[in-house]
Amino acid sequence: MRLSVLDTAPVWQGSTPARSLRDTVDLAKHVERFGYRRFWVAEHHLAPSIASTSPAVLVGQLASATTTIRVGSGGVLLPNHPPLIVAEQFGTLAALHPDRIDLGIGRAPGSDPDTVRLLRRSEADFPAQLAELRGYFTNDMIPAAVPVWLLGSSASSARLAGELGLPYAFAHHFNPGEALPAVAAYRDSFKPSAALAQPYVLVCTLVIAADTDERARFLTSSLALMIVRMSAGGLNHGRHVPPEIAVNQPYTDAERQLIKDRMAPRVIGGPDTVRRGIASLMASTQADELMVITLIHDQAERIRCYELIADLTSSALEVADSPM
């Protein structure tokens, strides 16, 4: 197993997107020191709670602020962009930071329908867009080639990744119920390629780790409120609410059940609980790499979360060996 991080630069009530972006850069420096393999940032647009709107720009800053950790997109949402522009952006990054840049590709819009119209998304066939993008990396007019990953939360993206012989990243934090079917579809459809000789699965899951189960449950109150608000209003649910406020939020019986159902597949707790949760997920998926995303208000607590996870998986990290 290898251990990595996904971040969205979450924006908190009373803070600013600028502060969130600076915190993301600071976090990358810490997780590099903790031994994490890679640090990816997601693409979202016009969402009040998310500041990671421009992965290529943010990846450049992250690469400049670190020295060894791989940095990349988790992911660039290809239908939002001309493939040539994506190839040029990430090819430039790879030329400036050799062997440290990843290009994760997804097909979702990353926003609400109104913003989708503003993005003027391409109606081209996604596999054709992906083929065009990959083709540019064989062109010597692009500064450098970049490893391409396919991201997904369903079996359809998994099968495409397998057929193309690409590494596959599954969004367990987004759609945990589809993890096993998607991973199975990827492995069943995998064909060796110039990019990859054998299947490689990364699973990204949400983890909130603290020194005790009680503290983790308190920190999770922010996520609980976000779940309820998103179920009613999508991404435009306002900025994330600190746990000191969210913990006192009154919920209906239906909302409490929604929170319970959504929390069940996540890994939340103190060291022993988190260790068991991670072990169970890795055993069930047989993933080659675990990517962690968290939602914690205080920057010091967020850093502590990733430090705990690294400590809990250190024995696995020490023996990790992988072509990726």
Side-chain angles (χ1 to χ4, degrees):
M1 183 182 69
R2 288 189 171 184
L3 190 60
S4 297
V5 172
L6 175 67
D7 196 64
T8 61
V11 185
W12 292 87
Q13 183 177 297
S15 188
T16 65
R19 171 65 183 272
S20 296
L21 291 168
R22 289 193 294 271
D23 284 348
T24 288
V25 174
D26 177 63
L27 178 64
K29 297 176 185 178
H30 284 279
V31 300
E32 178 178 60
R33 181 165 55 84
F34 298 153
Y36 283 75
R37 171 64 175 163
R38 63 188 95 238
F39 190 102
W40 285 1
V41 289
E43 175 185 341
H44 292 277
H45 298 282
L46 295 184
S49 62
I50 296 173
S52 61
T53 60
S54 304
V57 176
L58 187 50
V59 166
Q61 184 66 27
L62 292 166
S64 295
T66 55
T67 57
T68 58
I69 194 169
R70 297 189 67 90
V71 293
S73 60
V76 166
L77 305 176
L78 190 55
N80 294 347
H81 312 278
L84 175 59
I85 298 299
V86 176
E88 289 179 332
Q89 289 173 339
F90 278 80
T92 299
L93 289 167
L96 294 171
H97 306 280
D99 299 319
R100 293 189 56 215
I101 305 299
D102 296 326
L103 175 54
I105 293 295
R107 69 173 83 193
S111 194
D112 59 79
D114 290 338
T115 305
V116 168
R117 287 191 288 272
L118 295 175
L119 289 168
R120 294 172 174 81
R121 278 170 64 88
S122 170
E123 298 301 323
D125 179 67
F126 178 75
Q129 288 180 306
L130 184 59
E132 179 185 347
L133 170 68
R134 295 178 67 206
Y136 289 129
F137 290 125
T138 65
N139 187 328
D140 60 10
M141 295 185 70
I142 300 299
V146 184
V148 175
W149 294 65
L150 193 58
L151 281 54
S153 59
S154 68
S156 60
S157 292
R159 280 191 291 270
L160 178 60
E163 290 165 1
L164 296 175
L166 294 176
Y168 178 62
F170 179 79
H172 181 274
H173 64 291
F174 181 74
N175 192 14
E178 286 297 311
L180 298 186
V183 169
Y186 169 68
R187 292 194 174 109
D188 290 344
S189 62
F190 185 83
K191 298 176 182 177
S193 69
L196 199 61
Q198 57 189 17
Y200 191 92
V201 175
L202 178 154
V203 171
C204 181
T205 196
L206 186 139
V207 180
I208 295 181
D211 291 315
T212 65
D213 284 351
E214 182 180 13
R215 184 63 181 174
R217 285 192 294 269
F218 170 74
L219 296 173
T220 303
S221 60
S222 299
L223 175 61
L225 182 54
M226 184 197 76
I227 288 170
V228 171
R229 289 184 171 180
M230 284 190 70
S231 70
L235 286 173
N236 293 324
H237 56 81
R239 293 183 175 176
H240 296 298
V241 178
E244 292 81 4
I245 299 173
V247 72
N248 296 315
Q249 178 73 18
Y251 295 116
T252 66
D253 289 343
E255 288 170 340
R256 281 191 288 271
Q257 187 61 49
L258 173 67
I259 293 168
K260 181 179 179 180
D261 293 342
R262 296 286 179 86
M263 293 295 192
R266 274 68 183 182
V267 181
I268 298 167
D272 289 341
T273 302
V274 169
R275 185 185 293 108
R276 289 194 299 269
I278 288 175
S280 175
L281 177 63
M282 299 305 288
S284 63
T285 61
Q286 291 295 295
D288 301 283
E289 184 169 340
L290 175 67
M291 181 168 276
V292 176
I293 184 171
T294 195
L295 183 70
I296 293 178
H297 170 246
D298 182 76
Q299 179 74 347
E301 295 248 32
R302 186 160 69 140
I303 292 167
R304 175 59 178 157
C305 172
Y306 286 112
E307 183 179 23
L308 277 171
I309 295 166
D311 288 345
L312 294 171
T313 57
S314 60
S315 59
L317 291 173
E318 288 169 2
V319 299
D321 184 20
S322 157
M324 300 304 299

